Amino acid sequence: MKQIELLWQEVRDLSLGNASSVRRLDSPPAPLEFLRDFVSPNKPCLVSGAATAHWPATALWRDRAHLARALASSSVTVHLTPDGRADSLVPIDDSSASPSPSPPPPPLCFASAHAERVPFAEALDMISRSSRESSFVAYAQQQNDCFRSEYGPLARDCDEHVPWASKALGSLPEAVNLWIGNHFSETSFHKDHYENLYAVVTGEKHFVLLPPTDVHRMYIKDYPAAQYSYIKETGEFKLEVEEPIKYVPWCSVNPYPSPENLESEMAKFPLYFNGPKPIECTVKAGEILYLPSMWFHHVKQIPDDTGLTIAVNYWYDMQFDMKYAYFNFLQSIEYQPIHDYTGTEGESEDL
């Protein structure tokens, strides 16, 4: 459908204007400006370090001794995976399959991390020594308002909410989360039904973004839910599909395929790799990214010289307004591309 392809470009023009990157603001916007120019049009923006310059966290959280003292009596939830990719698609090991000269690739499942609650000092040590050569990668990524519960002693180091956003949105955040990881921690493509104010305190976060109207380029499919369990005695992970089987709709695209898989990934997902270029944005320490509701995002991390990336995000309830209705309508359309984005006519392909 040519109309959907035209929509991709028109939304990009509205979101970015003549630029090819997210608009950067040198200081926090006034609430009315934020509502008018970014929230209402569902348009991201990046606010410079002035947004968090008054936070004690910007200086204190680079000091691990401060974190250890503040959370000396706290237990926190840490998530463990073999490779740092929590809540992502991984192959299901089907050792019962009969061998064949050219076996098909194993099916995929949506794998959730192994989660355990440990003293903060132990969690910080686990994150610090994580690597793909070790037995696990640890990431503190509990998403249940953990900053105001598990990390409560750190609350005085940050604002309780983002004042200009709270006033524009007419509410306080529903959840505030703390994220602590290293350069192996990675978040696969997904969307959230929240208005997200994402503040990086140490290190950097690199986002790959696509607006909600690019939903067909994400190749969302239903995958069986699975759960990692970590066996400390052997340092091994066990991945089991949940029983009874339940399915999770998830984006199939990995924007960073390995060199040996690049050609096959491009062939499987041409709408993503050959379509309009995704928007990329690096959020540095002291900056806040406004990530509008339902925008697809993939996140990688660049730690500071202490080896950590620490961020706080504020989730505000989204308005279930006409934008939500438009997105649901667009998602319901069975899209059939009329060409392969290389300038030649191609066969129709069902999503």
Side-chain angles (χ1 to χ4, degrees):
M1 288 182 172
K2 186 175 293 186
Q3 293 89 339
I4 290 180
E5 296 168 21
L6 180 61
L7 178 64
W8 295 343
Q9 189 58 53
E10 288 181 340
V11 169
R12 184 174 301 266
D13 291 343
L14 287 169
S15 296
L16 300 178
N18 295 324
S20 58
S21 59
V22 173
R23 181 178 167 189
R24 178 182 291 273
L25 305 178
D26 293 331
S27 59
L32 180 58
E33 176 191 0
F34 179 58
L35 179 63
R36 180 194 63 214
D37 296 345
F38 300 103
V39 178
S40 293
N42 200 235
K43 176 179 177 179
C45 67
L46 183 62
V47 185
S48 79
T52 61
H54 60 286
W55 285 13
T58 58
L60 294 175
W61 289 7
R62 288 178 52 82
D63 180 3
R64 294 195 185 192
H66 168 77
L67 297 175
R69 284 193 302 270
L71 297 168
S73 59
S74 298
S75 293
V76 301
T77 304
V78 67
H79 293 245
L80 307 181
T81 59
D83 55 10
R85 299 187 179 97
D87 298 338
S88 65
L89 302 179
V90 300
I92 302 173
D93 180 19
D94 188 4
S95 55
S96 63
S98 57
S100 62
S102 300
L108 298 176
C109 65
F110 174 78
S112 297
H114 170 85
E116 59 181 69
R117 198 172 174 100
V118 299
F120 174 75
E122 182 178 343
L124 196 61
D125 179 65
M126 294 168 74
I127 296 167
S128 299
R129 58 188 172 90
S130 294
S131 75
R132 288 173 186 157
E133 285 69 45
S134 65
S135 60
F136 60 78
V137 173
Y139 189 18
Q141 56 147 31
Q142 188 77 350
Q143 299 166 49
N144 63 347
D145 198 28
C146 66
F147 185 59
R148 296 189 289 200
S149 55
E150 294 185 7
Y151 298 93
L154 294 178
R156 65 177 67 91
D157 294 343
C158 299
D159 285 343
E160 295 180 5
H161 62 108
V162 183
W164 43 271
S166 297
K167 190 167 184 179
L169 296 167
S171 67
L172 294 174
E174 180 178 287
V176 184
N177 302 306
L178 184 73
W179 309 72
I180 307 176
N182 65 17
H183 64 288
F184 292 110
S185 307
E186 187 174 318
T187 305
S188 62
F189 258 131
H190 69 287
K191 60 178 172 60
D192 299 309
H193 289 81
Y194 290 101
E195 305 291 353
N196 192 352
L197 277 296
Y198 204 104
V200 174
V201 181
T202 73
E204 300 178 1
K205 296 265 188 174
H206 186 76
F207 287 77
V208 180
L209 306 173
L210 283 174
T213 46
D214 283 34
V215 58
H216 296 101
R217 300 179 61 201
M218 292 284 86
Y219 294 86
I220 297 173
K221 298 179 181 179
D222 290 333
Y223 293 95
Q227 182 74 50
Y228 278 118
S229 56
Y230 179 66
I231 305 164
K232 289 184 179 180
E233 292 74 18
T234 62
E236 296 177 336
F237 283 89
K238 185 177 182 181
L239 180 63
E240 291 185 317
V241 175
E242 294 183 15
E243 294 288 349
I245 293 178
K246 67 176 183 179
Y247 291 89
V248 177
W250 204 253
C251 303
S252 303
V253 175
N254 173 13
Y256 300 106
S258 60
E260 60 269 22
N261 293 332
L262 177 59
E263 188 173 339
S264 62
E265 293 290 290
M266 291 181 68
K268 284 192 294 186
F269 309 120
L271 298 181
Y272 177 83
F273 287 102
N274 298 330
K277 187 177 180 181
I279 303 159
E280 300 198 36
C281 174
T282 298
V283 188
K284 299 183 178 182
E287 297 181 334
I288 294 180
L289 172 67
Y290 165 56
L291 181 61
S293 56
M294 300 190 296
W295 272 65
F296 295 99
H297 51 289
H298 179 282
V299 192
K300 297 181 78 171
Q301 308 193 91
I302 305 167
D304 63 9
D305 54 13
T306 71
L308 298 177
T309 299
I310 307 178
V312 179
N313 87 292
Y314 302 81
W315 270 338
Y316 291 82
D317 277 338
M318 65 171 281
Q319 294 295 317
F320 289 85
D321 53 13
M322 287 303 296
K323 292 194 297 291
Y324 178 71
Y326 293 149
F327 173 79
N328 282 343
F329 172 72
L330 180 64
Q331 186 172 232
S332 71
I333 295 173
E334 185 175 343
Y335 173 67
Q336 295 181 324
I338 58 174
H339 55 68
D340 61 3
Y341 291 97
T342 60
T344 59
E345 295 298 318
E347 295 181 357
S348 294
E349 175 185 317
D350 291 339
L351 177 64

